Amino acid sequence: MKRIGILLSMALLLVGCAKMLTPSGGPKDTTPPSVLQVLPRNQASNFKDKTIKITFDEYVVLNNATENTIFSPPLQYPPEFSLSHKSLLIRIEDTLKPNTTYNVVLTDAVKDFTEGNKLPLYQYTFSTGETIDTFMYCGKLQNAQTLEPVPDCFVFLYQNDVDSLPLTTRPDYVTKTMKNGTFVFTNIAEGCYKLFALQDVNKDFLFNLPNEAIAFSDTMVCAVSMPPRQTDTVPQAKKRGTAKPKTVENKDGKDVQPNKSKREQTTMASDSAKLPTWSLFLEKDTVYALLKVSNPTLGVYQLAYRSEVRDCQFVPLDTVRFDRFERWNTTRDTVTLYAKNIPEDTVRFEVVADSHRDTIALAPYKKPKQSRGRGKKPATEIKFGVKADNMGEIYKDLELEFSYPVRPADSCRLWVIKKKNSGNDTSSVTVSVPDSFVTRLAVPLEKEEKVPYQLLIPDSVFFAYNGTTHDTLRFDFVMKSEKDYGDLVMNYEFKERGNYIVTLSSAQGELVRTDILRESARVTYLNLLTGSYKVKVIDDRNGNGKWDTGSYYEKRQPEPIYHFTKTLNVRGYWELEETFEVDNEK
């Protein structure tokens, strides 16, 4: 019995200990897999193998290996990827070119099995000839309009300067841009190349789709010699939760020093401001196809085109009357028709858009079907929407914005209530709607700083052409004061005379003002609301008053855009002055 009691006590003690002490696995592994060995070795010459074996220090899984692995020069047939224990096997199904240096770049193609840490970049180089090419070229890719870096975009090099090459021939070398938009070609042959960048939608290494963004060099770019490799160092063991040693392969295929490709790419791309930069753009679509005709609400019809329409005419094909207002969007690829008289029968037109003819039929509006069943809401009725803009602004009129053009009216009475400490002050203001296309209407107010206001619009004051009206509307706001405004002075300095579109926008991207300048000038922006602003300059080289994209077929780059990089913080009772030197030498 005594022995049983001792054993029972020991068991209870062990159980208690198990509850109190939870085994710890240590810090989480956040480091990517590390390459231990590559066969054949990296930088191998006279390469004749069909399989490349890359062995890691831990088990890995594939991560879209086909898409995340780049062969440069590109292969005609994609390689096969498989795993064996801790090794990645890349089987080449293609016939390699003789006396050619190949680069195999893994970009997030593998990740470790336990935590999913991706190997961000690894380059394997071999030559089918006696020597390895030792030249490189690097640059940067940016969006032509936003000037933001373009990541994960293909960049091609061609050994011949033939215009049709990007359209008909796969490139001699290929790489991809990194997160900061920089790109690097390593181990390429000495010489000069034609450069072309492509957002390759169909993954065929050819520019053959209208929705593929491109960039190109006006002249050939020349490769430079690569820096020498470092001497070998002794490898270190990987520790869980600690940084892994940086390694590349020695003559036996074992990793013993920093990965050359990653090191060189980081070094060459570290100061991206000094790199040659190209602008990625979409060519203008010149096909004037009518894409869609819609009838979103009563009396409203929209015609959407594939590209910009410069001139449009509507030719009636029957006797049904259809008086209307027309409004084009800013890009002139969509026109909205507002009916002055709601058609009860189908109206047919021939639409001539830049000499392209289409026949359209505008049917009477059909209300949405009522939803049925438990928990389902009925279809929304057509309503006449009224919004108020510039509420509380001292230097701008309060404006009413209508969802549909308003019928003419001589006098519309609105009520204004000032809420003062001494009591409310109620008055009326009368506005008129002219006999024209009106979707915005200014409301004059006597403004007192810091005073709460209330604007009341009785029901059925305004009537839309589609017969709808509104209920009683109420808008509450507080009038701003002088301390809510500041001034901005910008000194624009251009190296050459030209046509410059200068825009001032809020930090949220709302356009505040546009100016056209021909030469260096001092521009004053008065009474800006406090906050942050952005300035942009478009070098309008063809003088048409808008930004124009580029064209590879016409060998025309997109019109340059310059952003003022410094933050413009406007403060109340303060004048901020800055100078924008635009480096626009042509």
Side-chain angles (χ1 to χ4, degrees):
M1 291 293 296
K2 183 177 180 180
R3 183 179 181 184
I4 294 176
I6 293 175
L7 293 175
L8 180 59
S9 299
M10 293 178 62
L12 292 174
L13 179 61
L14 290 174
V15 171
C17 291
K19 290 182 178 179
M20 293 176 62
L21 300 176
T22 302
S24 173
K28 182 179 179 181
D29 182 10
T30 59
T31 54
S34 181
V35 176
L36 293 181
Q37 187 179 41
V38 179
L39 295 174
R41 66 177 181 84
N42 207 343
Q43 303 285 318
S45 57
N46 296 313
F47 184 94
K48 301 184 184 302
D49 297 72
K50 283 295 184 180
T51 300
I52 302 169
K53 182 179 180 181
I54 305 175
T55 302
F56 298 93
D57 62 343
E58 57 184 317
Y59 287 99
V60 297
V61 294
L62 298 179
N63 181 50
N64 296 325
T66 302
E67 295 183 7
N68 293 330
T69 301
I70 301 173
F71 268 78
S72 180
L75 304 178
Q76 183 177 2
Y77 305 106
E80 288 187 357
F81 297 87
S82 61
L83 295 174
S84 176
H85 299 287
K86 296 182 181 181
S87 299
L88 168 65
L89 304 179
I90 305 175
R91 179 169 178 79
I92 301 174
E93 303 290 338
D94 217 335
T95 300
L96 300 178
K97 300 177 182 178
N99 300 315
T100 301
T101 297
Y102 282 84
N103 290 299
V104 184
V105 183
L106 306 181
T107 58
D108 296 337
V110 296
K111 55 186 179 180
D112 64 33
F113 179 79
T114 54
E115 300 293 345
N117 299 310
K118 298 175 183 177
L119 178 66
L121 181 68
Y122 180 79
Q123 179 170 315
Y124 172 74
T125 304
F126 65 88
S127 174
T128 55
E130 294 287 341
T131 59
I132 296 286
D133 292 328
T134 58
F135 280 75
M136 68 183 302
Y137 185 80
C138 57
K140 184 180 180 181
L141 197 63
Q142 67 181 12
N143 184 285
Q145 290 183 278
T146 66
L147 307 189
E148 292 294 325
V150 180
D152 199 34
C153 182
F154 284 108
V155 186
F156 303 149
L157 291 180
Y158 303 86
Q159 292 179 331
N160 298 317
D161 188 13
V162 178
D163 291 342
S164 61
L165 284 176
L167 288 72
T168 60
T169 308
R170 294 163 71 87
D172 294 302
Y173 297 104
V174 59
T175 189
K176 265 190 174 183
T177 56
M178 293 178 276
K179 290 183 179 179
N180 63 352
T182 60
F183 60 88
V184 180
F185 291 93
T186 58
N187 295 107
I188 62 178
E190 182 180 6
C192 296
Y193 299 88
K194 181 183 185 66
L195 183 142
F196 192 87
L198 177 68
Q199 283 188 332
D200 196 6
V201 176
N202 55 1
K203 310 295 183 184
D204 63 353
F205 296 102
L206 297 174
F207 176 40
N208 51 17
L209 293 177
N211 60 337
E212 291 181 326
I214 62 171
F216 63 93
S217 60
D218 295 313
T219 59
M220 300 282 275
V221 300
C222 296
V224 297
S225 181
M226 291 170 54
R229 300 181 64 183
Q230 290 184 338
T231 57
D232 292 351
T233 58
V234 178
Q236 300 178 14
K238 172 190 172 182
K239 295 182 180 179
R240 182 176 177 84
T242 60
K244 297 183 181 180
K246 300 176 181 179
T247 58
V248 296
E249 300 76 13
N250 63 9
K251 295 180 180 180
D252 299 324
K254 295 183 178 180
D255 285 353
V256 293
Q257 81 175 67
N259 178 9
K260 174 187 69 63
S261 63
K262 184 174 181 179
R263 174 178 172 272
E264 287 173 351
Q265 291 196 27
T266 302
T267 301
M268 297 301 296
S270 59
D271 191 0
S272 60
K274 298 180 181 179
L275 292 176
T277 303
W278 285 270
S279 296
L280 191 79
F281 63 91
L282 271 175
E283 290 195 323
K284 180 180 177 181
D285 195 342
T286 57
V287 178
Y288 297 104
L290 178 61
L291 299 178
K292 183 180 180 181
V293 179
S294 60
N295 182 198
T297 188
L298 179 66
V300 177
Y301 298 90
Q302 288 185 334
L303 280 67
Y305 284 85
R306 184 174 176 177
S307 58
E308 177 189 10
V309 176
R310 293 184 294 272
D311 180 63
C312 186
Q313 298 178 357
F314 293 85
V315 181
L317 297 178
D318 48 38
T319 58
V320 179
R321 182 182 176 185
F322 185 67
D323 296 331
R324 66 195 180 278
F325 298 108
E326 299 176 11
R327 170 179 283 178
W328 288 86
N329 63 350
T330 55
T331 54
R332 285 196 66 87
D333 57 12
T334 301
V335 60
T336 302
L337 308 178
Y338 298 92
K340 295 183 68 173
N341 57 297
I342 305 303
E344 297 181 356
D345 299 311
T346 297
V347 182
R348 297 188 308 119
F349 286 94
E350 183 182 58
V351 184
V352 184
D354 294 339
S355 301
H356 181 83
R357 298 176 180 271
D358 291 288
T359 299
I360 64 171
L362 306 181
Y365 177 72
K366 293 182 180 181
K367 292 184 179 181
K369 294 182 179 180
Q370 296 289 330
S371 300
R372 296 182 180 181
R374 184 184 297 274
K376 293 186 178 180
K377 297 181 179 180
T380 303
E381 295 182 359
I382 299 171
K383 292 185 177 180
F384 179 40
V386 183
K387 297 191 302 183
D389 290 335
N390 305 329
M391 291 190 295
E393 291 269 9
I394 296 179
Y395 298 102
K396 293 181 181 179
D397 284 334
L398 185 147
E399 286 188 330
L400 299 178
E401 182 181 357
F402 307 107
S403 62
Y404 204 92
V406 184
R407 291 183 181 274
D410 292 334
S411 59
C412 301
R413 177 172 291 187
L414 315 179
W415 296 96
V416 179
I417 302 174
K418 298 180 185 178
K419 297 183 178 181
K420 299 184 177 181
N421 293 332
S422 58
N424 293 342
D425 183 4
T426 303
S427 61
S428 64
V429 58
T430 301
V431 296
S432 299
V433 182
D435 186 7
S436 60
F437 180 81
V438 174
T439 57
R440 298 183 71 89
L441 190 65
V443 179
L445 296 176
E446 293 183 3
K447 302 173 181 178
E448 293 187 32
E449 295 184 11
K450 300 182 180 180
V451 173
Y453 279 73
Q454 188 178 90
L455 176 65
L456 292 177
I457 305 177
D459 67 285
S460 305
V461 170
F462 301 103
F463 285 86
Y465 273 100
N466 63 359
T468 58
T469 187
H470 57 83
D471 298 327
T472 299
L473 302 172
R474 169 180 148 180
F475 301 99
D476 295 286
F477 55 93
V478 177
M479 199 63 66
K480 292 179 172 58
S481 65
E482 289 287 348
K483 72 176 183 180
D484 295 309
Y485 297 86
D487 298 336
L488 170 64
V489 178
M490 291 295 299
N491 298 292
Y492 296 100
E493 297 183 359
F494 307 110
K495 293 188 176 181
E496 295 184 359
R497 288 178 56 88
N499 301 292
Y500 303 102
I501 305 171
V502 179
T503 63
L504 176 71
S505 302
S506 67
Q508 294 73 33
E510 180 181 356
L511 181 63
V512 176
R513 176 172 157 182
T514 300
D515 294 276
I516 306 296
L517 304 180
R518 308 295 180 190
E519 57 187 7
S520 298
R522 177 185 173 92
V523 178
T524 301
Y525 303 95
L526 297 174
N527 304 319
L528 296 176
L529 284 173
T530 57
S532 298
Y533 291 84
K534 299 181 293 185
V535 165
K536 179 176 71 175
V537 173
I538 300 174
D539 190 349
D540 184 19
R541 294 186 171 179
N542 60 6
N544 64 353
K546 64 178 182 178
W547 178 82
D548 288 292
T549 189
S551 170
Y552 180 70
Y553 302 97
E554 299 176 9
K555 294 297 173 287
R556 186 183 72 249
Q557 297 287 352
E559 289 182 331
I561 295 178
Y562 307 91
H563 290 274
F564 189 65
T565 57
K566 189 176 179 180
T567 302
L568 298 170
N569 292 319
V570 175
R571 295 183 290 171
Y573 287 126
W574 196 266
E575 181 183 90
L576 175 65
E577 183 168 355
E578 294 285 354
T579 298
F580 190 0
E581 296 181 358
V582 180
D583 187 10
N584 63 310
E585 287 185 321
K586 301 175 182 177

